[in-house]
């Protein structure tokens, strides 16, 4: 069982050079994720939230500042961090079981232990019975569950979620959000979720950081201390959503707009 | 043709779904036949062609010396099989094709993989490969026969060369078009270089490799006839040119029919193999 990791991000700056032009993606991003916490990063597209996740997972090591995992600087991918991408990224030529087992490929476990772990993980994400299915035979939701199982089977201290539910339909998304919450409770892993769905962020996390774009920086940090299970339609939920949307400049008081008032009245008649 | 093949592949996919054993054993023979050789609809045209041939022979539209009746060709086949060495000539051709195909494709996949993984190695081979590739196998044959004699080795070498290039190029191309996302996934999962090649890169290149294997198998079979016709004293290619020289048109047609049928079987077997290996693929089935 992995120990939930603590992540410290210290004035991280990142730029790309495109055709000789310097394109600043992240400008001094700083925040912490406590061990066992569920933190969501919300922001408009282009704010560098996915780039930040790539830095944390270790796919890209060219950046300024520090990203510390349990006090040590990250240098390349490691078993301590698992990631789920927006596309499930299951290998089409491997069965579900083989895809999940791919994480254990160079672990020095006996074949029996590996099979056991795969079985357990498959059950955890509710895919028992589909072990021998190929990815094209799975629905989007099932494929994403399998991707979560693949990321968790190593028992990483930190699970990075890069808009994992972004490509799913609304109903499957809500189901999988509940599933993620359950998995988080069972595994106790530190979770960092990148999303642009504010509801999703509030439903799942202890903490939400809002990012702004061009170049990306943390504009505000929210602590979510709503009781669980969370009521998606409850007043506190809605209130927090209003604050976050306002931070994203996506919310205006209805009263400010005459047109919208007229439309509201029209809908009452 | 491709229509039939696609149908065959679909049957393969559904056939494996767990049917009760009793039902399976009954439908197995027909299913097996359809899967391997396509639906009986494919037999209609060959039957029409034979009928036309028979008519042309009966009415002597062509002189019998140039177009013997089907019956005479069947007789010639029996004669060649029982009184002559048809079977050994057939084996001689198969032996050459089999060896050439194995060597050529092994070298093609091996070097293609190496070039795909290392740009340096690709550049190292590039000039040579692209020049040699344009000298047809048959143009190599005279020189190689001078070196190795008219026996099997010269033909094996020349055909292996012709098998090598499609495999080399397609393997290289297949590896170069592996999605970067999959490589990234492999990095995140900490796969070693070896595991990355075995689990990610080669399977991703497999559709390209399988297509070129099927193509190369057909090419090799076609080339053996030419190579044997140009040099040597055995094999179907030798028989066909000898029959022409001796004006044994019936024997010539026997050889042509065998070459066609064997080519057909080789192609269908390669296609069945392709369907099996690429069963994870979800494609347009027509």
């Amino acid at each position: 069982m992995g120990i939930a990791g603590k992540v410290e991000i210290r004035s991280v700056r990142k730029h790309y050079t495109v055709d000789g032009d310097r394109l600043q993606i992240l400008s001094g991003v700083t925040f912490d994720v406590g061990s066992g916490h569920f933190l969501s990063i919300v922001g408009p597209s282009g704010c560098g939230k996915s780039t930040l996740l790539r830095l944390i997972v270790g796919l890209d090591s060219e950046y300024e500042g520090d990203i510390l995992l349990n006090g040590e600087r990250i240098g390349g991918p490691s078993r301590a961090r698992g990631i789920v991408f927006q596309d499930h990224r299951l290998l089409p030529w491997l069965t579900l079981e083989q895809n999940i087992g791919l994480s254990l490929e160079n672990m020095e476990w006996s074949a029996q232990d590996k099979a056991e772990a795969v079985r357990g993980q498959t059950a955890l994400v509710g895919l028992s019975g589909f072990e021998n299915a190929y990815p094209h035979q799975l629905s989007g939701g099932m494929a994403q569950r399998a991707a979560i199982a693949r990321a968790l089977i190593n028992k990483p201290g930190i699970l990075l979620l890069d808009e994992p539910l972004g490509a799913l339909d609304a109903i499957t998304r809500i189901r999988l959000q509940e599933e993620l919450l359950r998995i988080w409770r069972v595994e106790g892993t530190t979770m960092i979720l990148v999303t642009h769905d504010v509801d999703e962020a509030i439903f799942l996390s202890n903490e939400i950081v809002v990012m702004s774009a061009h170049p990306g920086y943390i504009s505000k940090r929210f602590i979510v201390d709503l009781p669980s299970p969370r009521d998606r339609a409850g007043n506190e939920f809605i209130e927090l959503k209003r604050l976050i949307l306002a931070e994203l400049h996506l919310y205006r008081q209805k009263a400010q707009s005459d047109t919208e008032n007229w439309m509201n009245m029209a809908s009452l008649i | 043709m491709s229509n039939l093949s696609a149908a065959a592949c679909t049957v393969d996919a559904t056939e494996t779904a767990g049917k009760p054993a009793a039902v399976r054993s009954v439908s197995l023979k027909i299913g097996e036949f359809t899967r391997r050789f396509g639906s009986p609809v494919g037999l209609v045209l060959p039957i029409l062609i034979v009928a036309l041939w028979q008519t042309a022979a009966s009415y002597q539209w062509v002189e019998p010396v140039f177009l013997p009746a089907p019956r005479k060709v069947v007789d010639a086949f029996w004669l060649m099989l029982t009184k002559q060495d048809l079977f050994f000539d057939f084996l001689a051709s198969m032996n050459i094709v089999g060896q050439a195909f194995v060597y050529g494709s092994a070298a093609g996949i091996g070097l293609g993989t190496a070039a795909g993984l290392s740009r340096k190695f690709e550049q190292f081979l590039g000039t040579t490969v692209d020049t040699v590739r344009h000298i047809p196998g048959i143009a190599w044959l005279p020189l190689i026969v001078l070196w190795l004699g008219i026996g099997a080795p010269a033909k094996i070498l020349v055909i292996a060369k012709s098998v090598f290039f499609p495999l080399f190029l397609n393997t290289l191309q297949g590896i170069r078009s592996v999605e970067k996302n999959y490589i990234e996934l492999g990095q995140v999962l900490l796969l070693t270089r070896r595991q990355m090649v075995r689990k990610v890169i080669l399977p991703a290149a497999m559709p390209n490799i399988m297509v070129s294997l099927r193509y190369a198998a057909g090419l090799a079979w076609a080339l053996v006839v030419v190579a044997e016709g140009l040099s040597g004293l055995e094999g179907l290619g030798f028989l066909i040119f000898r029959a022409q020289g001796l004006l044994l048109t019936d024997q010539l047609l026997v050889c042509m029919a065998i070459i066609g049928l064997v080519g057909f079987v080789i192609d269908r077997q390669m296609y069945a193999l392709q369907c099996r290996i690429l069963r994870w693929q979800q494609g347009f089935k027509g």
Side-chain angles (χ1 to χ4, degrees):
Chain A
M1 182 80 199
I3 304 143
K6 176 180 185 325
V7 182
E8 296 160 82
I9 293 161
R10 297 272 168 267
S11 31
V12 167
R13 303 165 69 82
K14 166 82 188 166
H15 70 271
Y16 290 114
T17 311
V18 183
D19 298 331
D21 291 333
R22 189 185 158 97
L23 190 65
Q24 193 74 32
I25 307 291
L26 298 170
S27 65
V29 171
T30 299
F31 65 89
D32 289 354
V33 192
S35 148
H37 279 218
F38 199 130
L39 176 131
S40 293
I41 304 172
V42 186
S45 47
C47 73
K49 50 195 194 311
S50 290
T51 304
L52 185 60
L53 224 52
R54 285 173 61 86
L55 298 182
I56 301 175
V57 81
L59 276 172
D60 191 342
S61 53
E62 288 174 17
Y63 63 92
E64 300 152 60
D66 289 306
I67 299 177
L68 308 175
L69 170 59
N70 299 329
E72 278 183 55
R73 198 169 196 277
I74 283 170
S78 103
R79 269 192 229 298
R81 277 156 287 136
I83 186 164
V84 180
F85 302 96
Q86 179 170 10
D87 57 315
H88 55 72
R89 226 170 273 197
L90 299 176
L91 299 179
W93 46 88
L94 299 181
T95 61
L96 183 128
E97 196 174 46
Q98 292 166 333
N99 263 297
I100 296 175
L102 196 62
S103 293
L104 303 175
E105 194 62 26
N106 51 25
M107 298 273 264
E108 311 228 320
W109 295 6
S110 71
Q112 201 187 346
D113 286 351
K114 286 185 182 179
E116 194 104 331
V118 170
R119 208 173 310 131
Q121 210 63 42
T122 312
L124 178 76
V125 296
L127 285 176
S128 300
F130 293 94
E131 286 86 351
N132 295 318
Y134 283 101
H136 74 82
Q137 297 166 312
L138 302 174
S139 70
M142 290 162 86
Q144 207 50 276
R145 281 163 196 259
I148 293 169
R150 179 179 61 193
L152 281 174
I153 195 166
N154 283 323
K155 307 281 176 200
I158 295 168
L159 183 62
L160 304 164
L161 302 153
D162 187 1
E163 299 187 37
L165 314 182
L168 303 176
D169 63 90
I171 293 170
T172 311
R173 195 181 311 160
I174 289 179
R175 289 236 175 84
L176 274 184
Q177 285 167 4
E178 280 159 9
E179 196 87 337
L180 269 178
L181 218 45
R182 186 177 63 80
I183 291 168
W184 176 50
R185 294 211 183 95
V186 173
E187 303 274 321
T189 316
T190 306
M191 303 276 208
I192 303 179
L193 168 73
V194 159
T195 181
H196 43 226
D197 180 343
V198 175
D199 282 65
E200 181 170 291
I202 302 173
F203 185 74
L204 292 172
S205 1
N206 314 114
E207 271 181 80
I208 297 173
V209 293
V210 176
M211 284 183 79
S212 291
H214 311 301
Y217 66 98
I218 305 290
S219 71
K220 193 137 188 177
R221 180 173 179 146
F222 294 89
I223 305 292
V224 189
D225 54 1
L226 303 179
S228 80
R230 288 176 184 168
D231 177 1
R232 291 171 195 274
N235 285 334
E236 290 166 304
F237 196 104
I238 302 293
E239 186 53 40
L240 186 56
K241 180 174 174 182
R242 191 172 293 156
L243 290 173
I244 294 172
L245 286 176
E247 187 60 37
L248 289 163
H249 310 293
L250 293 173
Y251 179 77
R252 275 185 306 160
Q253 290 286 325
K254 290 280 182 212
Q256 289 173 353
S257 156
D258 282 348
T259 340
E260 281 176 6
N261 267 343
W262 277 110
M263 292 187 38
N264 282 344
M265 282 164 74
S267 72
L268 286 174
I269 304 164
Chain B
M1 187 67 150
S2 67
N3 216 349
L4 289 177
S5 324
C9 202
T10 318
V11 173
D12 187 30
T14 49
E15 197 75 359
T16 45
K19 282 187 197 165
V23 180
R24 281 183 68 163
S25 67
V26 175
S27 64
L28 194 68
K29 271 187 183 156
I30 303 168
E32 180 78 355
F33 182 84
T34 315
R35 189 168 67 79
R36 286 263 152 99
F37 303 108
S39 114
V41 178
L43 293 175
V44 174
L45 193 56
I47 289 169
L48 284 178
I49 291 171
V50 172
L52 183 68
W53 174 15
Q54 178 64 58
T55 318
S58 306
Y59 288 94
Q60 300 224 350
W61 291 345
V62 185
E63 268 192 69
V65 162
F66 299 119
L67 187 68
R71 181 59 217 255
K72 277 210 64 184
V73 174
V74 174
D75 289 344
F77 169 69
W78 188 245
L79 178 84
M80 289 166 82
L81 193 63
T82 50
K83 297 272 164 20
Q84 299 173 9
D85 295 330
L86 179 63
F87 190 63
F88 290 98
D89 284 302
F90 168 72
L91 284 185
S93 298
M94 284 305 276
N95 173 40
I96 289 172
V97 170
Q99 287 196 52
F101 183 69
V102 169
Y103 303 150
S105 50
I109 294 173
L111 288 176
T113 305
L117 296 176
S118 151
R119 210 165 263 283
K120 270 263 144 59
F121 190 63
E122 188 201 351
Q123 286 162 350
F124 169 72
L125 283 185
T127 323
T128 319
V129 161
D130 287 336
T131 311
V132 173
R133 183 157 67 88
H134 288 102
I135 309 170
I138 295 309
W140 279 97
L141 189 63
L143 178 68
I144 290 174
V145 165
L146 284 183
W147 292 345
L148 299 181
I150 58 169
K155 289 169 217 153
I156 291 173
L157 186 63
V158 164
I159 296 170
K161 179 248 155 213
S162 300
V163 168
F164 171 83
F165 286 101
L167 275 146
F168 175 81
L169 292 173
N170 275 292
T171 305
L172 173 60
Q173 184 54 41
I175 288 178
R176 283 295 151 77
S177 46
V178 176
E179 274 186 57
K180 195 164 164 277
N181 278 350
Y182 292 147
I183 304 293
E184 237 169 40
L185 175 78
Q187 290 169 349
V188 170
L189 298 183
L190 304 174
L191 298 187
T192 60
R193 182 88 174 144
R194 221 185 130 83
Q195 288 164 340
M196 187 79 98
V197 172
R198 221 161 43 92
K199 295 277 175 171
V200 181
I201 296 175
L202 278 183
M206 204 41 92
N208 282 45
I209 296 176
M210 286 314 300
V211 166
S212 56
L213 269 180
R214 186 178 169 197
Y215 166 75
L219 186 69
W221 181 244
L223 277 178
V224 75
V225 177
V226 182
E228 285 170 344
L230 290 176
S231 79
L233 296 166
E234 58 178 12
L236 290 173
F238 168 70
L239 288 189
I240 209 168
F241 283 93
R242 191 194 61 168
Q244 185 208 22
L246 301 176
L247 216 60
L248 296 169
T249 323
D250 48 356
Q251 293 208 3
L252 195 156
L253 285 170
V254 168
C255 293
M256 283 176 68
I258 293 174
I259 291 162
L261 285 172
V262 171
F264 174 79
V265 172
I266 289 176
D267 187 67
R268 282 303 150 94
Q269 295 297 335
M270 291 304 294
Y271 188 70
L273 182 73
Q274 181 182 349
C275 282
R276 213 190 122 56
I277 289 182
L278 301 181
R279 64 190 179 281
W280 51 269
Q281 249 190 346
Q282 177 198 35
F284 176 58
K285 305 270 191 208

